[in-house]
Amino acid sequence: GQQLNQSPQSMFIQEGEDVSMNCTSSSIFNTWLWYKQEPGEGPVLLIALYKAGELTSNGRLTAQFGITRKDSFLNISASIPSDVGIYFCAGPKVDSNYQLIWGAGTKLIIKP
Amino acid sequence: EPEVTQTPSHQVTQMGQEVILRCVPISNHLYFYWYRQILGQKVEFLVSFYNNEISEKSEIFDDQFSVERPDGSNFTLKIRSTKLEDSAMYFCASSYSEGGPQYFGPGTRLLVL
């Protein structure tokens, strides 16, 4: 079935560094969503992408919808301690407008 | 900023007991969802609800599960006879449009003993 593969699984970085993570699939997605989840909290929507090639920013976050529609990346510039959390990509299951398929997440840890 | 709210934040129950998890979606949203996340695993879709009926459900959403919108603001998930493997975080979400971005609540952590 459809799967989203996220990499890396985790990242240990210094405060102030830029971060890049990506999400790939063997099947096409028409929408890519990036969420952040902090411990004990629900996923918070960061960026939604709807068109191949689309590049969208939200503050220090930038995400792109890959041209092939099989991948997306999320960049965080100049990381700060509150960026710590797990970042998930998600997209609608084929033939569904409701059911989101989720990646396994990229855990971001920032060394002080 | 409007947000999805969920109650309770934590629920501990005995195996075989019924639980009802409650959600208040964002007020002008029309589509409602339940997801669950077993500790350390991916978020999994359970069910979507629109116009007072289930629009889609996953294999996880068996006869033990039901959803209801009892009034104009609440959206509930009932698990009729809980099993140990139902222990998870349960997230409610809502969206304004079909296929639109889904906004999640903070979750209910359910522990079945």
Side-chain angles (χ1 to χ4, degrees):
Chain A
Q2 275 181 294
Q3 281 198 326
L4 289 174
N5 303 303
Q6 276 189 256
S7 64
Q9 194 173 20
S10 59
M11 303 181 77
F12 290 78
I13 62 164
Q14 297 279 1
E15 185 178 345
E17 279 185 36
D18 295 343
V19 170
S20 185
M21 60 188 79
N22 67 67
C23 194
T24 61
S25 176
S26 58
S27 52
I28 286 172
F29 279 80
N30 293 317
T31 299
W32 289 88
L33 305 169
W34 284 94
Y35 288 87
K36 179 190 176 188
Q37 187 179 28
E38 297 183 27
E41 302 289 327
V44 174
L45 182 65
L46 300 173
I47 293 178
L49 302 162
Y50 298 103
K51 278 177 16 179
E54 181 181 351
L55 185 71
T56 297
S57 293
N58 177 7
R60 293 178 295 106
L61 275 60
T62 302
Q64 185 157 30
F65 191 141
I67 291 290
T68 64
R69 295 201 279 154
K70 292 183 178 181
D71 61 350
S72 176
F73 71 74
L74 175 71
N75 286 346
I76 305 172
S77 62
S79 56
I80 60 177
S82 61
D83 291 333
V84 163
I86 302 177
Y87 291 80
F88 292 97
C89 61
K93 187 179 178 189
V94 69
D95 297 330
S96 171
N97 275 328
Y98 309 107
Q99 185 172 163
L100 289 180
I101 304 290
W102 293 73
T106 292
K107 188 172 186 177
L108 182 62
I109 299 162
I110 297 178
K111 295 177 275 190
Chain B
E1 189 174 316
E3 57 184 21
V4 177
T5 59
Q6 289 186 243
T7 55
S9 57
H10 294 78
Q11 173 98 46
V12 181
T13 189
Q14 295 286 337
M15 192 169 58
Q17 294 295 304
E18 174 184 287
V19 294
I20 297 176
L21 310 182
R22 292 182 165 80
C23 168
V24 178
I26 293 172
S27 62
N28 66 339
H29 283 189
L30 303 174
Y31 298 80
F32 315 118
Y33 314 85
W34 284 100
Y35 289 80
R36 78 172 185 191
Q37 186 179 32
I38 294 170
L39 189 64
Q41 296 187 22
K42 291 185 182 185
V43 177
E44 300 173 289
F45 172 83
L46 293 178
V47 67
S48 60
F49 191 87
Y50 169 70
N51 201 25
N52 279 320
E53 60 183 26
I54 290 173
S55 43
E56 197 169 318
K57 60 183 180 178
S58 71
E59 312 77 46
I60 303 168
F61 194 88
D62 61 22
D63 292 343
Q64 293 300 313
F65 292 87
S66 62
V67 289
E68 193 179 30
R69 187 150 163 85
D71 54 45
S73 59
N74 289 282
F75 179 51
T76 62
L77 173 70
K78 184 195 290 187
I79 308 175
R80 211 176 329 273
S81 176
T82 49
K83 303 189 283 281
L84 295 176
E85 54 266 37
D86 292 330
S87 295
M89 280 286 278
Y90 287 82
F91 294 108
C92 173
S94 67
S95 66
Y96 176 74
S97 60
E98 182 178 329
Q102 297 178 19
Y103 294 86
F104 283 70
T108 293
R109 183 175 294 282
L110 176 65
L111 179 60
V112 182
L113 302 176

